[in-house]
Each structure stands twice: as C-alpha cells, then as structure tokens.
Amino acid sequence: MIVELDKSEFRKCRGLLHPEGQLEAAAIVEGMNPGRIFVDDRLQPETGLIWLGNNDGFLFIGNEDNESFNTYINHFIDSIITQEAKKVHLDCFEAIGNHNKWNEIIEEVFEHRCLGTWNQRIYLLITEKYRSNCEPILKEGYEVVKIDETLVENKGTINLDFLHAKILEFWSSPEKFLEEGCGYCVVYRHEVVSICFSGFVAGRVHGIAIETVEAHQGEKLAQKIAHQFVKDCLQNNQLPYWDCMESNKPSIAIAEKVGFEKMATYVGYEFPL
C-alpha cells in the first residue's frame, strides 16, 4: 500500500533522505518548495516517492529494499500517478534515486517499460573558488536587476507573466520566493530576457534555476547573472548549488567559468506514461 502524506506530515520523511542526495528532496520534505510525497506507511514511513512541484521528476527516497513498496509501485503509477499526471499534461515519468543504490532497483522494477536514461551533474561553489575576474561586461542596452518586490510588481515590464511563471514553477507564490530565495535578471527594453534565481532551497543551500530567452542567447547574459547570484549567496553565507544534465554543455560551461566544482553525478531514468 502507498499513501499520500499531507504537507504537515512531510517532516516524517527527514530520516529517509540521504545526506548527499539531491537538494530538491530536502527542500520539499522541509516544506520550503511545493511538491507531493507518497510513502509506504503514514505513521512510520520507510520508503517514499517525492513528486517535484515543478513536474521535473520523481525522487525515490529511503529504503530501496522495501519489497512491498517495490512490488506495488508499478500499479500505483498506472492507477494513480498517470491520472494525476494527465491533469498537468505530463506524459513522462522521470525516476531518480536519492542515493545510487536505487539505480539497480529502478532498473529492475521498471524493466518491462521503455526505460531511457540520462546523467546529471551536481556542482557546488565555495568562496575560495569563485572566479570573480571572469564576470563578463554586457552590451549596451542590457541591465542587471535584482528580483525584488518592485520588479515582481512592475507593471511596466512587458513580459511580467514570464517572470511570474518562472518563479511559480518552483515556489508556491512570488511572496514565498522573495522571503526565502534570491535572484537576478537581465532586462532589455523593459523585457526580462534572462533570469537566474533560487529554484530550490534547503538550509543555506540555494539551487540555481537559470534561463535566457532564445532571441538573446549568445550574449553571455546567463553568465553575467550567475555571477550576481553567486556574489549574493556568498555575501549572505549561502551555498550556491548547480544541478544540470551532463549533455547540457552550455550550462556546464557557465558553471565552471564562474567557479563551480563538480561534486557528484547521478543517473536519471524515464519512461512514457
């Protein structure tokens, strides 16, 4: 049997988190970022499944050798998750283990499905490694702006909906983001064209969410605001965290130019719903 926990019960899963696992899992268990948690036992959970609030995947946490959970999970996905996924137009199940012992279990449990894989990298940055001398200078017309209450409510911004939509992919409200996160964007002619902000937060660790609109890519905008984000974090004793696909060479290049160092890798799995 697998049941869904109420948000008030999420912290029961603290003991299921691996100390070197993904930031996203801790952020949701601590109630910082939105998400859903399904477990084998409501009172004393041993194994769980976290559905990331931005629909970016499902994290398996806790005991990977829980036979009753592993036996039932396929039925649960087919009967419950698939129906819920359709409501948010999600047609793929992305499975990630909170520790690498889950990999073998995921491959075994879902071997009958059309299972694909990809690799992820986790980067961290500490003060001594920050490469401040590599911060680019932007072309005329681009302006770096801190994401604050004034910007979020600025009716003069052409694509304010874009800014709000990006924040709400990760946070329950712009107010919650402003209270717990930090971020910067590049504005060009009253339009937000690049954004870098705290996507997930757990303790003093801030996971980076970054994007540049296609028409303005190649102008080093993401690199510029990544520097701004990092400086903000370091000044406030926060630890910048960068998680990206191994195939995302531009993202990796930016992280390494700023001074991030690879700390871990993990495997992601996917199959159609």
Side-chain angles (χ1 to χ4, degrees), residues 78-140:
D78 291 337
S79 61
I80 303 297
I81 297 298
T82 298
Q83 297 304 314
E84 293 293 298
K86 286 180 179 178
K87 296 177 183 178
V88 293
H89 309 292
L90 186 67
D91 58 8
C92 183
F93 187 96
E94 296 184 347
I96 299 166
N98 190 228
H99 53 80
N100 60 19
K101 289 183 180 179
W102 269 109
N103 293 352
E104 183 178 348
I105 301 301
I106 290 172
E107 292 172 10
E108 181 180 310
V109 169
F110 300 128
E111 64 179 351
H112 65 291
R113 300 183 185 263
C114 186
L115 198 62
T117 65
W118 78 93
N119 296 315
Q120 291 278 137
R121 293 186 181 185
I122 293 176
Y123 288 85
L124 294 177
L125 189 149
I126 59 176
T127 303
E128 294 77 15
K129 298 295 184 179
Y130 173 47
R131 302 174 64 186
S132 59
N133 60 320
C134 294
E135 182 175 353
I137 298 174
L138 299 185
K139 292 181 180 178
E140 186 176 349

Side-chain angles (χ1 to χ4, degrees), residues 231-244:
K231 286 189 285 189
D232 194 310
C233 284
L234 297 181
Q235 288 169 5
N236 290 285
N237 193 34
Q238 295 159 346
L239 184 62
Y241 174 106
W242 192 294
D243 186 334
C244 65

Side-chain angles (χ1 to χ4, degrees), residues 1-67:
M1 191 67 179
I2 297 177
V3 297
E4 181 170 6
L5 293 179
D6 184 82
K7 286 182 172 57
S8 62
E9 303 174 292
F10 282 8
R11 293 189 180 185
K12 293 179 181 179
C13 296
R14 281 175 169 172
L16 306 186
L17 299 177
H18 193 278
E20 297 178 4
Q22 296 84 359
L23 170 68
E24 294 89 336
I28 292 170
V29 167
E30 294 299 329
M32 184 66 72
N33 292 91
R36 300 171 69 177
I37 302 180
F38 309 89
V39 296
D40 62 320
D41 185 282
R42 184 180 300 280
L43 298 179
Q44 294 183 309
E46 180 183 344
T47 306
L49 177 68
I50 298 176
W51 188 350
L52 300 183
N54 62 351
N55 295 320
D56 241 5
F58 295 79
L59 289 166
F60 287 82
I61 61 174
N63 177 19
E64 76 283 359
D65 285 326
N66 186 335
E67 186 175 348

Side-chain angles (χ1 to χ4, degrees), residues 76-211:
F76 183 75
I77 290 172
D78 291 337
S79 61
I80 303 297
I81 297 298
T82 298
Q83 297 304 314
E84 293 293 298
K86 286 180 179 178
K87 296 177 183 178
V88 293
H89 309 292
L90 186 67
D91 58 8
C92 183
F93 187 96
E94 296 184 347
I96 299 166
N98 190 228
H99 53 80
N100 60 19
K101 289 183 180 179
W102 269 109
N103 293 352
E104 183 178 348
I105 301 301
I106 290 172
E107 292 172 10
E108 181 180 310
V109 169
F110 300 128
E111 64 179 351
H112 65 291
R113 300 183 185 263
C114 186
L115 198 62
T117 65
W118 78 93
N119 296 315
Q120 291 278 137
R121 293 186 181 185
I122 293 176
Y123 288 85
L124 294 177
L125 189 149
I126 59 176
T127 303
E128 294 77 15
K129 298 295 184 179
Y130 173 47
R131 302 174 64 186
S132 59
N133 60 320
C134 294
E135 182 175 353
I137 298 174
L138 299 185
K139 292 181 180 178
E140 186 176 349
Y142 291 110
E143 179 186 6
V144 176
V145 179
K146 185 176 178 65
I147 302 174
D148 56 14
E149 187 175 358
T150 300
L151 179 66
V152 169
E153 297 179 354
N154 185 1
K155 306 302 182 183
T157 303
I158 295 172
N159 60 341
L160 194 60
D161 288 347
F162 168 75
L163 177 62
H164 285 180
K166 296 308 299 181
I167 291 173
L168 292 175
E169 280 185 23
F170 299 87
W171 296 90
S172 56
S173 68
E175 292 74 24
K176 179 70 170 176
F177 161 73
L178 292 172
E179 179 182 343
E180 304 290 351
C182 67
Y184 291 82
C185 63
V186 176
V187 176
Y188 182 79
R189 295 180 180 175
H190 303 290
E191 180 181 3
V192 175
V193 296
S194 189
I195 182 171
C196 178
F197 65 100
S198 309
F200 290 93
V201 175
R204 54 186 287 263
V205 184
H206 285 241
I208 289 178
I210 190 166
E211 182 176 339

